[in-house]
Amino acid sequence: MRAIEIIGVRWTGPILLAGARGARRFKEYRALAPGISDPQLTLRLKQLQARGLIERTVIPTTPVQIKYTLTPDAEELISLLQPLGHWSERHLPPDDA
């Protein structure tokens, strides 16, 4: 399934979740996806933009501001993944176990 190919790529989940939690600027995505490097975040945002899941908006100010937002397709994908998250909370041990 092509959807699995998208969500199976490392950092896709945390980045989409960061967007769902209100991240709009690069530093906000980085803060909400702990452990990701700046180059990796840049690459993944570009890839998700190419897939139509993230929209990049350049705001012509000084300095230039760039805003990243989830597209409706990304929001739909997240809503479909939420039951999987609930299942994992009930059936899988915590990460620190």
Side-chain angles (χ1 to χ4, degrees):
M1 290 193 308
R2 291 187 338 214
I4 300 298
E5 292 172 10
I6 293 170
I7 62 171
V9 176
R10 186 167 185 179
W11 296 112
T12 295
I15 291 170
L16 292 177
L17 186 57
R21 290 181 174 163
R24 297 293 173 261
R25 306 285 306 276
F26 187 89
K27 67 179 182 173
E28 295 168 341
Y29 277 92
R30 187 178 56 222
L32 291 172
I36 192 169
S37 68
D38 286 359
Q40 186 65 38
L41 179 55
T42 299
L43 175 64
R44 293 300 298 133
L45 286 169
K46 285 180 183 178
Q47 291 170 338
L48 292 169
Q49 181 183 357
R51 289 278 190 177
L53 298 173
I54 295 276
E55 185 175 283
R56 181 180 186 263
T57 305
V58 177
I59 303 164
T61 57
T62 305
V64 171
Q65 294 181 22
I66 298 173
K67 183 172 73 169
Y68 300 93
T69 54
L70 298 180
T71 64
D73 286 348
E75 291 172 359
E76 181 181 6
L77 177 59
I78 290 167
S79 73
L80 295 170
L81 291 172
Q82 286 176 334
L84 180 62
H86 296 307
W87 178 90
S88 67
E89 289 172 3
R90 289 191 312 274
H91 298 286
L92 299 176
D95 288 337
D96 57 354

